[in-house]
Amino acid sequence: MSETSLGLTPSQTVGPYLSLGLPWPDGPDVVPAGTPGAITISGTVTDGTGAATADAMIETWQADPAGRFDHPDDPRGAVSPAESGHPEFRAFGRTPTDDDGNWSIRTLLPGALPGQAPHIDVSVFARGLLDRVVTRIYFPEFADANATDPLLAVVPRDRRHTLIAVPDGEGRYRFDVRLRGDDETVFLQL
Amino acid sequence: MTPPLLQPPGYLPVPDGTHPPLNSPGYKSTGIRAPSQQPVVLPHRLTEVTGPLLTGPVNPGDDDLTIGEHGEAAGQRIVVFGRVLDSDGRPVPDTLVEVWQANAAGRYAHRWDNWPAPLDPNFTGGGRALTDSLGNYSFTTIKPGAYPWGNHHNAWRPAHIHFSLFGRAFTQRLVTQMYFPDDPLFAQDPIFNSVPEESRHRMVSTFDLAATRPEWALAFRFDIVLRGREQTHFEEPHA
């Protein structure tokens, strides 16, 4: 097969001006304001010098609260937002960082997937990143599920906390992304 | 009833020599932004083989960057078009393609871009389109100019258009840059040259005389290839 396959298009950096092409007004709203059960996940993206990264973008992708996706390649079948009881849930979030490197999305807690703890897949794009870097957000209240999650199990114990959001008040979490250096976020190879 | 297949087939691995290494010393800011630790391998499971199938954020006219608020954008009008395919040659239909670029003078309509080339009040430099059922997309735009940047002595970016694609799965997400054929600035650009040599040509569009619009616009073809699927396996996964 490989001799007939097409060569992949290489990745390049988004550069410093991604905000001309990528953000949407409602990008950070995986669910709209006022949605029952909505949570907010916020954080800061910092670089290897500890400086805030003002020209980054975060994208999130996750299951709905029942652990289902509106996608035909889920072998369990696609479940649309209307069928799931969360008609305005988009599953996808996108936000640039602000001048202080901060980002925030409003969403619903993902449900558990078979054999996996509830999680959100995250892409980080920025000037100086020639390809996106990928990580995952897990949640502290699912300690039992996290303890048996197959990804967390292979992450070195002393770095595992970088994948777990920190409670930050009612319905609020923090998830900081440290691209490089001290307490560097665990990034994933897909 | 067959139990659900909980470990769906994933996407083919990215061959070595495709993407640039995150730490590419010629491009200075990789030194403070590229992670220092090896990534942890994430096998493809449900979250990775699914992804946003977005068709909402495209409005009529979003694929024409030349129509400004007060008139036409300045510069050479071009059509940029092509197909989005996966590495098995299958088209990627109904997927969002987003672009952004500098104007004809090489300046971005962005508050941080302050090099002294003229801004064009009729060119914001952002566009969106969806691929059709065969994976085709097309934009009408202005050929972007080259511009200097502070990476090294006399550093100039070759003319380029930024592209963003979702594909059909989280695993296929790609941001890249399209370049123009025979650009004399390739040799000194560390971002273009961060990609292994054998793969750089895949970022370079081709001039297509047959696709030009007579008396109107030059045309450049840029086909984009995303990761293909692993073979579907039918046996039950082992517990």
Side-chain angles (χ1 to χ4, degrees):
Chain A
M1 283 297 285
S2 60
E3 62 270 22
T4 60
S5 69
L6 302 176
L8 301 186
T9 304
S11 172
Q12 293 271 269
T13 176
V14 290
Y17 307 125
L18 63 91
S19 63
L20 296 178
L22 294 178
W24 308 328
D26 68 346
D29 304 330
V30 182
V31 291
T35 301
I39 60 168
T40 300
I41 308 173
S42 306
T44 306
V45 180
T46 48
D47 68 19
T49 70
T53 301
D55 50 12
M57 181 177 75
I58 298 278
E59 288 183 349
T60 63
W61 172 248
Q62 63 173 100
D64 71 17
R68 301 300 293 266
F69 295 96
D70 183 14
H71 196 284
D73 291 339
D74 184 335
R76 303 167 299 171
V79 176
S80 73
E83 293 167 314
S84 73
H86 305 285
E88 295 180 288
F89 174 73
R90 195 179 53 206
F92 173 73
R94 166 191 266 188
T95 181
T97 53
D98 66 16
D99 285 354
D100 299 315
N102 298 314
W103 64 276
S104 184
I105 62 160
R106 184 194 307 112
T107 187
L108 298 172
L109 271 177
L113 299 176
Q116 298 184 77
H119 61 267
I120 297 177
D121 274 10
V122 178
S123 300
V124 184
F125 302 83
R127 173 177 63 83
L129 287 179
L130 284 161
D131 194 1
R132 66 167 168 166
V133 291
V134 169
T135 187
R136 268 188 176 185
I137 302 171
Y138 288 87
F139 296 90
E141 59 267 54
F142 304 117
D144 290 349
N146 290 346
T148 58
D149 181 84
L151 173 69
L152 290 176
V154 299
V155 172
R157 192 174 294 276
D158 64 341
R159 301 188 65 207
R160 210 170 286 167
H161 68 279
T162 70
L163 300 180
I164 300 174
V166 176
D168 189 28
E170 180 73 25
R172 301 188 64 84
Y173 298 86
R174 274 198 76 78
F175 187 81
D176 293 324
V177 176
R178 298 171 193 88
L179 292 174
R180 184 181 182 88
D182 292 345
D183 215 17
E184 183 174 307
T185 299
V186 170
F187 295 106
L188 308 173
Q189 179 185 324
L190 289 171
Chain B
M1 190 174 150
T2 312
L5 185 64
L6 301 181
Q7 180 97 20
Y11 281 75
L12 292 166
V14 176
D16 288 343
T18 300
H19 293 320
L22 286 171
N23 200 335
S24 291
Y27 175 18
K28 277 188 183 160
S29 43
T30 66
I32 56 168
R33 294 192 166 186
S36 64
Q37 304 279 323
Q38 284 296 312
V40 174
V41 174
L42 176 63
H44 301 171
R45 298 188 176 93
L46 292 166
T47 318
E48 291 73 44
V49 302
T50 58
L53 303 176
L54 301 159
T55 56
V58 180
N59 295 307
D62 283 356
D63 59 352
D64 187 345
L65 288 71
T66 68
I67 311 298
E69 196 176 341
H70 309 290
E72 263 207 280
Q76 185 169 67
R77 211 180 286 112
I78 60 173
V79 175
V80 174
F81 72 103
R83 293 184 79 194
V84 182
L85 305 167
D86 72 16
S87 56
D88 294 320
R90 280 185 290 249
V92 182
D94 307 316
T95 193
L96 180 62
V97 183
E98 296 169 293
V99 296
W100 68 105
Q101 63 170 91
N103 69 21
R107 185 159 173 190
Y108 287 89
H110 192 285
R111 62 193 166 104
W112 293 340
D113 189 352
N114 56 9
W115 91 281
L119 279 168
D120 180 348
N122 292 313
F123 193 75
T124 59
R128 293 194 167 96
L130 289 173
T131 59
D132 67 14
S133 61
L134 299 175
N136 294 293
Y137 74 89
S138 177
F139 291 97
T140 303
T141 185
I142 296 293
K143 188 170 183 199
Y147 56 86
W149 61 308
N151 187 72
H152 56 278
H153 174 67
N154 205 19
W156 293 79
R157 288 305 326 280
H160 62 276
I161 298 176
H162 295 267
F163 271 74
S164 166
L165 299 106
F166 284 94
R168 308 289 293 175
F170 185 78
T171 319
Q172 286 187 312
R173 182 87 177 88
L174 179 72
V175 167
T176 188
Q177 298 181 24
M178 182 203 100
Y179 298 88
F180 292 86
D182 304 319
D183 195 311
L185 295 170
F186 286 155
Q188 58 78 58
D189 181 52
I191 294 181
F192 178 77
N193 291 309
S194 66
V195 169
E197 186 172 8
E198 65 268 27
S199 299
R200 287 174 203 156
H201 68 279
R202 299 180 198 144
M203 302 184 291
V204 182
S205 59
T206 53
F207 174 66
D208 189 333
L209 183 66
T212 56
R213 293 191 196 152
E215 320 296 328
W216 190 250
L218 296 176
F220 293 88
R221 168 180 279 277
F222 183 52
D223 293 332
I224 299 162
V225 180
L226 307 176
R227 296 167 72 171
R229 301 296 300 262
E230 285 179 342
Q231 290 290 336
T232 306
H233 48 83
F234 292 99
E235 61 268 50
E236 290 296 317
H238 297 288

